[in-house]
Amino acid sequence: MTRIAPLVLVALILAACGQSSAAIFTKQATEACLQQKNVHVGPVSNATDFVASTATGGAFRATLSDNFVTISFGLTLVDATNIDQAYEQFHAKNVGLPDVLRTENNAVMLWHQHPSDTDLALVTGCLKK
């Protein structure tokens, strides 16, 4: 029985190798999906959003009917965590950030105002690899 335990442990470790627990989304594929759904996408400037302009995987602004969202991409999940933390640190104190900041794997979405369920579903549905 004592010989089996190390073998089971090794088997579990090997089974976990190579498996990714989260998709890594890309700016290009996500932009293309939103454009196909007639959403206007444009660049983010350093002057309007310093955090997004420094995102390692790029960023863009998507304008929906009555709202817009800045989507910043990290090259890794850790990068996305850093983007999220930067928004937390630099936001205005009168902004309810939990209401407008969302992270999905390596994509960080900062909404202008609380997103409708329809807008949120449209954008998250277009997060692509």
Side-chain angles (χ1 to χ4, degrees), residues 78-123:
V78 172
D79 289 348
T81 299
N82 292 339
I83 294 166
D84 186 90
Q85 289 173 344
Y87 277 128
E88 292 281 347
Q89 182 168 352
F90 297 121
H91 80 280
K93 299 305 174 204
N94 64 340
V95 174
L97 207 54
D99 190 45
V100 294
L101 185 64
R102 307 243 195 297
T103 300
E104 189 78 29
N105 298 346
N106 68 308
V108 179
M109 296 163 279
L110 180 64
W111 292 85
H112 176 66
Q113 60 190 14
H114 180 81
S116 68
D117 291 341
T118 303
D119 287 348
L120 186 60
L122 172 67
V123 171

Side-chain angles (χ1 to χ4, degrees), residues 25-34 60 71 73 126-128:
F25 303 120
T26 67
K27 175 183 178 277
Q28 294 77 14
T30 302
E31 270 182 321
C33 178
L34 288 168
F60 64 88
I71 307 173
F73 297 86
C126 272
L127 293 173
K128 304 286 182 192

Side-chain angles (χ1 to χ4, degrees), residues 34-88:
L34 288 168
Q35 288 171 333
Q36 288 174 350
K37 297 186 182 293
N38 297 318
V39 174
H40 173 75
V41 297
V44 176
S45 75
N46 190 8
T48 59
D49 192 330
F50 175 75
V51 173
S53 70
T54 62
T56 56
F60 64 88
R61 178 177 285 182
T63 304
L64 299 114
S65 59
D66 62 348
N67 201 356
F68 64 86
V69 59
T70 300
I71 307 173
S72 305
F73 297 86
L75 292 177
T76 66
L77 299 177
V78 172
D79 289 348
T81 299
N82 292 339
I83 294 166
D84 186 90
Q85 289 173 344
Y87 277 128
E88 292 281 347

